Amino acid sequence: MTKQALEKAIFAGGCFWCMVEPFDEQPGIEQVVSGYTGGGKPNPTYEEVCTNTTGHREAVEITYNPTIFPYQRLLEIFWQQIDPTDPGGQFHDRGESYKTAIYYTNDEQKRLAEQSKQNLEESGMFSDPIVTDILPAKPFYPAEEEHQDYYKKQNFHYKMYKKGSGRADFIKRNWGKHYSKEELKERLTPIQYHVTQENGTERPFDNEYWSNDEEGIYVDIVSGEPLFSTTDQYDAGCGWPSFTKPLNRNRIAEKLDTSHGMRRIEVRSDEADSHLGHVFDDGPIDKGGMRYCINSAALRFIPKHKLKEEGLEEYLALFE
C-alpha cells in the first residue's frame, strides 16, 4: 500500500475519547488520532479548548485507505455515534468544543457528507432537525498523549464515562438492533438459540466449524456483526472453533463467568449481546497467548468469495 493511496477524514462528535473506538481496528483504517480543529489558535491545549473560546472542537482525524474502507462507511459509523439533533454539544458535554461536525477535505467528501445528512433527515429516524455542521477542513492539531487511544489506556473509566454521559444508552436505543425471544426462536435453530440466548455450549467435535479450513470470516448468527476471521483460526485440539483474537475487539464484550463452580471469562457480542464462548490464556504465545474458544452455533460463516456479495468487501483485504 502506498502513502498516496491513503486519505484523511475528520469528524467532531463530542468528547474525542468516544470517537476513536468505533473506527479503530477496522480493515483499511491506518490510524485514528484525537485532536482539535476548526479554530484559529495554533496548537491549542486541552485546557484552552475546554474554555470554548478558541473556536476549536474536539475531533478525530482518521487516516484510511478508501479502496478498502470507503468514505461512505466512515460516514455511516460517524452518524451512529452521535446525537445529530443536539445544537449545543453532545450528551452531558456542553459548549462549542463539543458540537458535532463533518470536516471535508475535498469536494467528493463534501458531496457524500451532504448526501448522507440529507438521507438521515429523510429517514425520519429523528423528529428534530439534523444540526451537525458540514464544514471545510481546517488545520488539525493532535491532542496531548494522555488523550490518544484513551479507550484502551483507561478502559474502565472510559466505559463508565461513555455510559454515564448518556452516549452508550442513546446509541443502543437509536441504532441498536432489538430482537424479541419469539422472533429469535423462529429464526434460529434450537442449538443456536440455546447457545446465544441461554448461555449454552454445543458438543465438542460435533459442530459446524471446529475443523473449517476454508478462508472467510464469521459473523454473529443473530445480528450479522463481523466477529472472527479464519486468518486467526487454529486447531487448539478442543473441538470448538478457536481464534487467537477477534476481528475487532470493540465488537465483543468480556465478562466474568462464575457458573458451574468455575471462574472463566465469557465472550459476548457487543451489538446483539449473544453468548459466544470463553477466552483463555493458553493460546499460541507467538500470537499473543489468547484462545477464543467459540461455539459454532453462535456464528455464521461467510466464505471469502461471498464477502462482496454480503456487503463486507472491506474484509477481503485480510486475505491479500
Side-chain angles (χ1 to χ4, degrees):
M1 182 190 305
T2 65
K3 290 295 182 184
Q4 289 74 19
L6 301 180
E7 295 185 6
K8 293 185 183 296
I10 302 173
F11 301 120
C15 177
F16 49 25
W17 293 346
C18 297
M19 294 302 293
V20 176
E21 178 190 15
F23 298 100
D24 203 20
E25 298 189 4
Q26 299 278 8
I29 293 182
E30 296 292 305
Q31 187 179 39
V32 185
V33 178
S34 297
Y36 317 107
T37 195
K41 185 182 188 304
N43 299 303
T45 66
Y46 179 74
E47 289 73 18
E48 288 172 332
V49 172
C50 286
T51 66
N52 292 307
T53 61
T54 67
H56 290 287
R57 303 186 193 188
E58 292 193 10
V60 291
E61 181 186 67
I62 302 165
T63 303
Y64 69 103
N65 186 331
T67 63
I68 298 174
F69 207 93
Y71 189 66
Q72 296 95 314
R73 287 282 293 117
L74 295 175
L75 290 168
E76 290 174 12
I77 294 174
F78 168 72
W79 291 118
Q80 294 176 16
Q81 310 310 312
I82 66 170
D83 178 357
T85 68
D86 187 345
Q90 283 293 283
F91 310 104
H92 78 187
D93 293 315
R94 315 310 301 162
E96 179 72 21
S97 63
Y98 294 111
K99 291 171 64 175
T100 61
I102 299 170
Y103 294 95
Y104 57 86
T105 63
N106 55 51
D107 289 342
E108 180 64 3
Q109 284 192 359
K110 179 183 181 182
R111 183 187 70 79
L112 292 171
E114 290 176 341
Q115 183 63 59
S116 71
K117 181 176 179 178
Q118 181 180 340
N119 291 344
L120 184 58
E121 288 173 335
E122 294 175 351
S123 72
M125 277 196 64
F126 299 98
S127 56
D128 294 328
I130 306 301
V131 298
T132 295
D133 295 319
I134 298 177
L135 303 168
K138 297 184 72 172
F140 178 90
Y141 301 99
E144 296 81 349
E145 181 57 33
E146 60 263 32
H147 296 297
Q148 304 300 335
D149 295 320
Y150 192 84
Y151 84 96
K152 293 179 180 178
K153 295 175 179 175
Q154 302 289 341
N155 185 256
F156 178 76
H157 182 260
Y158 165 75
K159 288 182 176 179
M160 293 291 289
Y161 168 79
K162 189 174 181 180
K163 175 74 174 177
S165 69
R167 186 187 294 260
D169 288 342
F170 179 90
I171 293 172
K172 186 172 184 179
R173 184 170 63 251
N174 288 277
W175 296 103
K177 297 178 181 178
H178 307 281
Y179 311 93
S180 68
K181 289 186 176 181
E182 292 72 20
E183 175 193 352
L184 291 178
K185 283 183 177 179
E186 184 174 333
R187 181 153 65 88
L188 302 178
T189 66
I191 186 61
Q192 289 169 345
Y193 185 90
H194 177 57
V195 166
T196 60
Q197 307 304 307
E198 299 174 335
N199 301 338
T201 301
E202 64 196 0
R203 294 171 61 88
F205 304 102
D206 186 21
N207 55 81
E208 193 168 4
Y209 304 127
W210 76 271
S211 61
N212 176 44
D213 59 4
E214 185 177 3
E215 290 186 318
I217 71 169
Y218 297 93
V219 302
D220 186 327
I221 191 68
V222 175
S223 65
E225 56 190 308
L227 298 174
F228 298 95
S229 167
T230 55
T231 57
D232 305 306
Q233 186 171 0
Y234 73 104
D235 183 4
C238 61
W240 292 282
S242 296
F243 306 88
T244 55
K245 64 180 181 179
L247 264 175
N248 188 322
R249 289 177 178 82
N250 307 324
R251 291 186 180 273
I252 65 168
E254 297 179 6
K255 301 180 179 180
L256 179 63
D257 176 9
T258 58
S259 63
H260 308 294
M262 296 183 285
R263 291 177 64 86
R264 300 177 294 174
I265 301 299
E266 180 194 12
V267 180
R268 304 188 70 88
S269 64
D270 182 65
E271 185 175 305
D273 194 33
S274 300
H275 170 73
L276 303 175
H278 293 85
V279 59
F280 304 95
D281 61 1
D282 58 3
I285 299 300
D286 62 338
K287 299 290 187 179
M290 306 308 292
R291 172 172 62 95
Y292 287 82
C293 184
I294 307 299
N295 288 279
S296 291
L299 306 173
R300 180 169 71 90
F301 178 66
I302 303 176
K304 180 177 68 173
H305 68 275
K306 289 191 175 181
L307 288 172
K308 186 172 184 179
E309 177 185 322
E310 299 243 2
L312 296 167
E313 57 265 39
E314 62 263 32
Y315 291 99
L316 285 168
L318 295 172
F319 306 100
E320 292 178 354

